[in-house]
Amino acid sequence: MTTTAPLPGSGPTAPGPTPPGPGAGCGLRPVRNALAAAGQRLGLRERKKLKTRAAIREAADRLIAEQGYEATTVERIAEAAEVSPSTVFRYFPSKEDIVLTDEYDRLTEAALRARPPAEDPLDALLHAVRESLVALAGEEESARVRRSTLVAEVPAVRARLTETMTDGSRRLARVLAERTGRGPADPEVRVLTAAVTGAARETVVCWAEDGHRDDLLTLFDRTAAVLRGGLRF
Amino acid sequence: MTTTAPLPGSGPTAPGPTPPGPGAGCGLRPVRNALAAAGQRLGLRERKKLKTRAAIREAADRLIAEQGYEATTVERIAEAAEVSPSTVFRYFPSKEDIVLTDEYDRLTEAALRARPPAEDPLDALLHAVRESLVALAGEEESARVRRSTLVAEVPAVRARLTETMTDGSRRLARVLAERTGRGPADPEVRVLTAAVTGAARETVVCWAEDGHRDDLLTLFDRTAAVLRGGLRF
Amino acid sequence: MTTTAPLPGSGPTAPGPTPPGPGAGCGLRPVRNALAAAGQRLGLRERKKLKTRAAIREAADRLIAEQGYEATTVERIAEAAEVSPSTVFRYFPSKEDIVLTDEYDRLTEAALRARPPAEDPLDALLHAVRESLVALAGEEESARVRRSTLVAEVPAVRARLTETMTDGSRRLARVLAERTGRGPADPEVRVLTAAVTGAARETVVCWAEDGHRDDLLTLFDRTAAVLRGGLRF
Amino acid sequence: MTTTAPLPGSGPTAPGPTPPGPGAGCGLRPVRNALAAAGQRLGLRERKKLKTRAAIREAADRLIAEQGYEATTVERIAEAAEVSPSTVFRYFPSKEDIVLTDEYDRLTEAALRARPPAEDPLDALLHAVRESLVALAGEEESARVRRSTLVAEVPAVRARLTETMTDGSRRLARVLAERTGRGPADPEVRVLTAAVTGAARETVVCWAEDGHRDDLLTLFDRTAAVLRGGLRF
DNA sequence: ACTAGCGGGACTGCCCGTTGGT
DNA sequence: ACCAACGGGCAGTCCCGCTAGT
């Protein structure tokens, strides 16, 4: 039902991490706001899509902050964003996806691919997750906080996140399988990534339930320590 | 939405693990049909409930086997079980729960409590999960196979299972926290259990996707080895 | 999609034509308003259903008369009838069915069953159709006119009517097959009833397109003459 | 909704019956592939249109054969045919029309016009329908079978076919009215043609429901006998 | 007390008008 | 000048919570 079909604009929109990229070596330009950068060379059509997408997100964020998640119907979000309800579903496969970032997993995957091939699988995985967490930290603070609060509080959102992360986990498993020369369905690789993603998810939930008092990265480092320590303490 | 309110009759209905039980050691009494056994000492009211519950389950299993999960509406299940749709929801909090066993997590929790207090947390967890898997194996083969197939194939069911397991994980974490003298919200304990449950879930999914060719317990032993080996291989 | 599942209340609501009925001989009481008669001994629940059904119909009729069929959304009909849109669909399987009477075909079937067994199939059929047309004439004039206008003008309504009549035709064919000792799928019987229902439908459409100037029964008698005359003139 | 606007290219695309055509009498040239033949003298533009049209049809046929009619969305058909969804609707007014032949009724009309003016109306009609059925038989067997199966099984397709045939019937009625010197809206003529088209439709449905075991033409001959025999047997 | 039924919201699929891009 | 594609809009289905009859 909630197929994770490529979202409209997610192709051109997210040209992917493209880590080195042509001419990337020419400087140390920090990661810019992808939206603005992309807008430059995109047709009017694409720019409009980006705007619509952003408008829906913002409307949703605002309304949910005001009235709560369940009390906010998609219809009202659409209204606030000045689009039709069907358009909302054309941009986001489900209501939950409106508040969930959909770039996280691809970020992680790209980060994993970029790890040195000789690195230990667990370490590679942990580094990759950490890096994407860092990238996420670039977002606006409030958005992150609100999002993780929803994850902690609304079962449907949490479920959807897990679903997304499971898909991501599977992709990560495939990448890892390639690195280690195992089959793409190798149970051990899959179990490893599942354990790591499960732990990562719980870390975020802990962070949110705690009221975001700790720093997420610090918390994740403790998680990494537990995993690296062989789950013994 | 999917409130995890105590299921009707889940108190008396699921007499729970009752681990050794009085006189359990006295012989080799095969695992009886729990329903029949329970029926003995329950009032007529309770027995009727049990019957209704079973009728709904069977109707659902049959219809889903015939037409698939999504094509089977709750309304038709209700019809086949000769109850009203609302009755279905009084017995099961959501459609997914009809096909998902709701005793698994309590089983695991009880098994964990029964582990020797000196045992290493990870080992205790793995043993507990394994034991509940063994208990599950007592079920009819076909039911288990169908259930895990649904878990592997239907996103909604998978999501619901994960949700259930997350709750379970949280309970396990609390038990573990007591054992180790940590706070009930201690992130490390939670992360550990999350990693283990995540791995366990993936094991079941692997098993199902593979067409149940391997033995589930054998597969789980490999999972346990990975986790015990410190996630390195 | 548009399954012709028994409409809510269509069981008790339309206890069928039951022409003679037990105790029918005790008097010559004309056919009363079925609704009122039924209301007497029905529970509050059933009476409410009847009322809801009527309210939806009336709202639809009124709105469609004011703004036309396509311009009238189901949502507005629901609003005017003070029910929720889903309730509308619980009462009527499709928007078209709101304006189409759903008792016509059962009426015809019953009338056919009541014909003397020795009667010629074609004659029996024509009499049965005519009788149900007479029964229909008992309705309010304006309702009939509006309905047939919609049939003539709105393709979707016309299509739905044909669908309904086709089902009815099939049932008639079965009755006829019994009478003549043929199989229920006998092509000749089916073709005969299809020809007659097709002709009947066209008669109604002619009547509507002509602005209801002629009398429907008179028109149908011409149709009957054509069919009886062997389709030659 | 289902506007019966002239299909794109249905003018030049479907050169239509072109009854005798230049040199038609000169021999026994088998019915060639109309597409190829037409391609010869059509501009590149037109040829492309034909190709697109055929591509959509094939994609639809294939997908529907694989997954069923309702499960096949227009979007997927468009994808498979490598066009945009809107293009699909530019070529076919509705989803149903993709699988329905849209040449049948014009074929029949032309055949009717070609009948000798002195012929009895009923006979002329039956011959015309029979001839178009023969022409249809020239199609690939599998396509015809699949199409009629859909007509028998999918209500929406059946409804659409009826709609189409009703339009056709009306046109036939006009032709017949001319021949007999009656007005174009003469009820008797319309009733006659409606009866015949209704019977023809039912014949096709019978054929399909029976699993296409009988020969369609043989079946139609029985239908013709019933109609000619004055609907008595 | 038990349960039938209604409210209502998420979501999908068909179809169409308009507009940007080529 | 064509044409894809985007957005709008509506019918319809399903799940599930709550209310109110029996």
Side-chain angles (χ1 to χ4, degrees):
Chain A
M1 207 147 260
T2 51
T3 56
T4 313
L7 307 184
S10 79
T13 297
T18 335
C26 74
L28 296 167
R29 291 252 298 287
V31 180
R32 274 159 172 278
N33 185 329
L35 200 149
Q40 296 296 94
R41 62 194 53 189
L42 256 34
L44 198 150
R45 204 99 122 198
E46 314 299 322
R47 260 175 291 156
K48 225 175 178 179
K49 273 206 247 182
L50 255 4
K51 269 185 71 173
T52 303
R53 194 177 171 82
I56 294 169
R57 270 240 165 102
E58 273 161 40
D61 275 358
R62 188 165 47 74
L63 290 174
I64 289 172
E66 286 169 15
Q67 343 170 333
Y69 181 82
E70 324 237 83
T72 306
T73 71
V74 171
E75 199 169 347
R76 287 193 73 75
I77 294 174
E79 207 173 282
E82 298 186 300
V83 295
S84 82
S86 44
T87 300
V88 173
F89 287 108
R90 223 175 284 117
Y91 278 80
F92 299 95
S94 80
K95 185 185 173 186
E96 291 88 42
D97 288 288
I98 305 177
V99 297
L100 256 22
T101 181
D102 44 324
E103 292 149 26
Y104 173 82
D105 36 335
R106 287 173 215 277
L107 236 61
T108 313
E109 189 186 345
L112 180 57
R113 283 189 201 283
R115 300 302 306 172
E119 195 173 32
D120 176 86
L122 175 62
D123 285 328
L125 220 39
L126 290 173
H127 274 121
V129 173
R130 193 179 201 286
E131 279 166 31
S132 62
L133 246 35
V134 170
L136 227 55
E139 280 188 73
E140 259 198 272
E141 184 67 21
S142 61
R144 261 164 57 223
V145 166
R146 251 176 319 184
R147 182 143 49 223
S148 59
T149 305
L150 285 176
V151 168
E153 288 174 1
V154 183
V157 174
R158 189 168 52 239
R160 181 67 182 130
L161 173 65
T162 308
E163 185 70 10
T164 302
M165 288 187 80
T166 301
D167 282 8
S169 166
R170 207 129 351 176
R171 255 198 306 276
L172 294 180
R174 264 196 293 273
V175 175
L176 224 52
E178 285 173 26
R179 288 171 55 116
T180 56
R182 293 168 180 242
D186 181 89
E188 279 162 6
V189 174
R190 286 179 62 176
V191 158
L192 167 62
T193 58
V196 173
T197 23
R201 196 189 82 113
E202 192 70 8
T203 306
V204 174
V205 172
C206 279
W207 177 59
E209 286 186 356
D210 186 53
H212 309 96
R213 267 183 307 208
D214 295 320
D215 178 55
L216 178 56
L217 286 177
T218 310
L219 215 51
F220 181 74
D221 288 336
R222 286 176 65 189
T223 292
V226 170
L227 293 171
R228 263 193 259 266
L231 299 170
R232 314 203 179 244
F233 43 79
Chain B
M1 212 148 258
T2 52
T3 57
T4 314
L7 307 186
S10 80
T13 296
T18 331
C26 72
L28 298 168
R29 288 252 299 290
V31 179
R32 273 161 174 279
N33 186 329
L35 199 148
Q40 296 298 92
R41 59 194 57 186
L42 257 34
L44 195 146
R45 199 83 123 226
E46 311 302 320
R47 260 175 292 156
K48 217 170 180 183
K49 274 199 203 171
L50 252 5
K51 267 187 74 174
T52 304
R53 195 178 170 82
I56 295 170
R57 270 240 164 103
E58 273 161 40
D61 276 358
R62 188 166 47 77
L63 290 173
I64 290 173
E66 285 168 16
Q67 345 168 332
Y69 181 83
E70 323 234 90
T72 305
T73 70
V74 172
E75 203 165 314
R76 287 190 76 75
I77 294 173
E79 204 175 287
E82 298 187 303
V83 296
S84 89
S86 40
T87 300
V88 173
F89 287 109
R90 215 167 318 104
Y91 281 81
F92 299 95
S94 80
K95 183 185 173 185
E96 292 86 41
D97 288 289
I98 304 177
V99 296
L100 255 24
T101 179
D102 41 326
E103 292 151 25
Y104 174 81
D105 35 336
R106 288 171 215 276
L107 236 62
T108 314
E109 189 186 345
L112 181 58
R113 280 188 202 284
R115 298 303 306 171
E119 196 174 33
D120 177 86
L122 175 62
D123 285 328
L125 261 176
L126 290 174
H127 275 120
V129 173
R130 193 178 202 284
E131 279 165 30
S132 62
L133 246 37
V134 170
L136 227 56
E139 280 187 73
E140 261 198 271
E141 183 68 21
S142 62
R144 262 165 56 224
V145 165
R146 252 176 319 185
R147 182 144 48 224
S148 60
T149 305
L150 285 175
V151 168
E153 287 175 2
V154 183
V157 174
R158 190 166 52 238
R160 182 65 182 131
L161 174 65
T162 308
E163 184 70 10
T164 301
M165 288 186 81
T166 302
D167 283 6
S169 167
R170 207 138 338 181
R171 254 198 307 277
L172 294 179
R174 262 196 295 273
V175 175
L176 225 50
E178 285 172 26
R179 287 170 56 114
T180 56
R182 295 173 178 237
D186 180 88
E188 279 162 5
V189 174
R190 287 180 61 177
V191 158
L192 167 62
T193 57
V196 173
T197 31
R201 196 188 81 112
E202 192 71 8
T203 306
V204 174
V205 173
C206 279
W207 178 58
E209 285 186 357
D210 186 53
H212 310 97
R213 265 184 307 210
D214 295 320
D215 178 56
L216 177 55
L217 286 177
T218 310
L219 215 53
F220 181 73
D221 288 336
R222 287 176 65 187
T223 292
V226 170
L227 293 172
R228 266 194 257 266
L231 299 172
R232 313 200 180 249
F233 45 78
Chain C
M1 207 146 261
T2 52
T3 55
T4 313
L7 306 185
S10 79
T13 297
T18 334
C26 73
L28 297 167
R29 290 250 300 288
V31 180
R32 276 161 172 276
N33 185 329
L35 199 148
Q40 295 298 94
R41 61 194 53 188
L42 257 34
L44 198 151
R45 206 99 123 197
E46 312 301 321
R47 260 175 290 155
K48 225 175 177 179
K49 273 207 246 181
L50 254 4
K51 269 186 71 174
T52 303
R53 195 177 170 83
I56 295 170
R57 271 239 165 103
E58 274 161 39
D61 276 358
R62 187 166 47 76
L63 291 173
I64 290 173
E66 286 168 13
Q67 342 170 333
Y69 182 82
E70 324 236 85
T72 305
T73 70
V74 171
E75 198 168 348
R76 286 192 73 76
I77 294 173
E79 207 173 285
E82 297 187 299
V83 296
S84 82
S86 44
T87 297
V88 173
F89 287 110
R90 227 177 277 120
Y91 279 81
F92 301 94
S94 80
K95 186 185 172 186
E96 291 88 41
D97 287 288
I98 304 178
V99 297
L100 255 23
T101 180
D102 42 324
E103 292 149 27
Y104 173 81
D105 34 337
R106 287 174 215 276
L107 236 62
T108 314
E109 190 186 344
L112 180 58
R113 280 187 202 284
R115 299 304 305 171
E119 196 173 33
D120 177 87
L122 175 63
D123 285 327
L125 221 38
L126 290 173
H127 274 120
V129 172
R130 191 178 203 286
E131 279 165 32
S132 62
L133 246 37
V134 170
L136 227 56
E139 280 188 73
E140 260 198 272
E141 183 67 22
S142 62
R144 263 165 55 222
V145 166
R146 251 175 319 184
R147 183 144 49 223
S148 60
T149 306
L150 286 176
V151 168
E153 288 175 1
V154 183
V157 174
R158 190 167 52 240
R160 181 68 182 126
L161 174 64
T162 308
E163 184 70 12
T164 300
M165 288 187 81
T166 302
D167 283 8
S169 165
R170 206 131 350 177
R171 254 198 305 277
L172 294 180
R174 264 196 294 272
V175 175
L176 225 51
E178 285 173 27
R179 288 170 55 113
T180 55
R182 295 169 177 242
D186 181 90
E188 280 162 6
V189 174
R190 287 179 62 176
V191 158
L192 166 62
T193 57
V196 173
T197 17
R201 196 188 82 114
E202 193 71 7
T203 306
V204 174
V205 173
C206 279
W207 178 57
E209 286 186 356
D210 186 53
H212 309 96
R213 266 183 306 207
D214 295 318
D215 177 56
L216 177 55
L217 287 178
T218 309
L219 216 50
F220 180 74
D221 288 336
R222 287 178 64 190
T223 293
V226 170
L227 293 172
R228 267 195 257 266
L231 300 170
R232 313 200 181 249
F233 44 80
Chain D
M1 209 147 258
T2 50
T3 56
T4 314
L7 307 186
S10 80
T13 296
T18 332
C26 74
L28 297 169
R29 287 251 300 288
V31 179
R32 274 161 173 279
N33 186 328
L35 199 149
Q40 296 296 95
R41 59 195 55 183
L42 258 34
L44 194 145
R45 201 85 121 224
E46 312 302 321
R47 259 177 292 156
K48 218 173 181 180
K49 274 199 205 173
L50 253 5
K51 267 187 72 173
T52 304
R53 194 177 170 82
I56 294 170
R57 271 241 164 103
E58 274 161 39
D61 276 358
R62 189 167 46 75
L63 289 173
I64 289 173
E66 285 168 15
Q67 346 168 332
Y69 181 82
E70 325 234 88
T72 305
T73 70
V74 172
E75 203 166 315
R76 286 191 75 77
I77 294 173
E79 204 174 287
E82 296 187 306
V83 297
S84 87
S86 41
T87 300
V88 173
F89 288 109
R90 218 171 308 110
Y91 281 80
F92 299 94
S94 80
K95 183 186 172 186
E96 291 88 42
D97 288 288
I98 305 177
V99 297
L100 255 23
T101 179
D102 43 324
E103 293 151 25
Y104 174 82
D105 36 335
R106 289 172 213 274
L107 235 62
T108 313
E109 190 186 344
L112 181 58
R113 281 188 201 283
R115 300 301 308 171
E119 195 173 34
D120 176 86
L122 175 62
D123 285 327
L125 220 39
L126 290 173
H127 275 120
V129 173
R130 192 178 202 286
E131 278 166 32
S132 62
L133 246 35
V134 170
L136 227 56
E139 280 188 72
E140 261 197 271
E141 182 69 21
S142 62
R144 261 165 56 222
V145 166
R146 251 175 322 183
R147 182 143 48 221
S148 59
T149 306
L150 285 176
V151 168
E153 288 175 2
V154 182
V157 174
R158 189 168 52 237
R160 183 64 182 131
L161 173 65
T162 309
E163 186 69 10
T164 301
M165 288 186 81
T166 302
D167 283 7
S169 166
R170 209 138 337 185
R171 254 197 306 277
L172 294 180
R174 263 196 295 273
V175 175
L176 225 51
E178 286 172 26
R179 289 170 55 116
T180 56
R182 295 172 177 237
D186 181 89
E188 280 162 6
V189 174
R190 286 180 60 178
V191 158
L192 166 64
T193 56
V196 173
T197 32
R201 196 187 81 113
E202 192 71 7
T203 306
V204 174
V205 173
C206 279
W207 177 58
E209 286 186 357
D210 185 54
H212 309 97
R213 267 183 305 209
D214 296 319
D215 178 57
L216 178 55
L217 287 177
T218 310
L219 215 51
F220 181 74
D221 288 336
R222 287 176 65 187
T223 292
V226 170
L227 294 171
R228 262 194 261 266
L231 299 171
R232 313 203 179 246
F233 43 79

